[in-house]
Amino acid sequence: ATLGDRCNLTMANAYASRALAIAAFVALLPLFLIAANATWVINTPLLYSYGFSKYRDQINYYLDISDDELRSAGGQIRDYFNNDEEELAINVIVGGVRFDNLFNDREVTHMKDVKGLVQGVDLIWKLSGLYLLVFAAVGLILWRRSFLRPLGRSVAIGGGATLGLVALVGLGSLAGFDRL
């Protein structure tokens, strides 16, 4: 091959690599935003307080447990999602009796599965965020200010994709949440 052929091939590879890097950025931005928000919500005490308040009557029907003990249980669940313990053990006082674990074996097994999903979402958030950060840093280092416009365009496309995905899931939920 001639020098010109090799240069053309090198340029084509460079354009393909750049297009692939941009496509990965656009695809990973929705994953990052959704996973980051899910991780934040899962680790927010407000989610658990809301659930306990909403279902207080049902909780009272089955358990004689104080609000302080419910908040403690919520904190123990959040801790479980973020630690290395294999099994969940919610230590609370119910009806004046201390329980080493509020959940039965079936519920503990279910929570193992939930923990796996939660940690998977957390890993997606961290890895996609790392890629986005490296992509932006490398682009800014190599192309400086001229990278800002393509970066902005990629963020806009990824943000639009995120909104589209959220709208699609929202509409799907309205149409039939159980089937979705």
Side-chain angles (χ1 to χ4, degrees), residues 10 22 36 53 92 117-118 126 140-141:
T10 301
I22 291 169
S53 294
V92 291
L117 292 172
V118 167
K126 290 174 181 171
L140 289 170
I141 289 168

Side-chain angles (χ1 to χ4, degrees), residues 91-173:
N91 189 314
V92 291
I93 297 172
V94 178
V97 177
R98 177 159 300 280
F99 284 82
D100 291 332
N101 198 352
L102 181 61
F103 294 141
N104 63 37
D105 290 340
R106 186 171 145 255
E107 292 164 333
V108 169
T109 300
H110 169 71
M111 290 303 283
K112 280 185 198 178
D113 294 338
V114 172
K115 181 176 184 168
L117 292 172
V118 167
Q119 289 183 338
V121 168
D122 188 60
L123 183 62
I124 289 170
W125 166 67
K126 290 174 181 171
L127 291 177
S128 61
L130 179 63
Y131 179 85
L132 298 175
L133 185 63
V134 169
F135 176 88
V138 168
L140 289 170
I141 289 168
L142 294 178
W143 296 286
R144 299 198 183 346
R145 292 179 62 101
S146 66
F147 184 69
L148 291 176
R149 181 164 287 175
L151 179 62
R153 192 171 30 251
S154 298
V155 168
I157 293 168
T162 304
L163 289 175
L165 285 170
V166 169
L168 189 64
V169 170
L171 290 172
S173 294

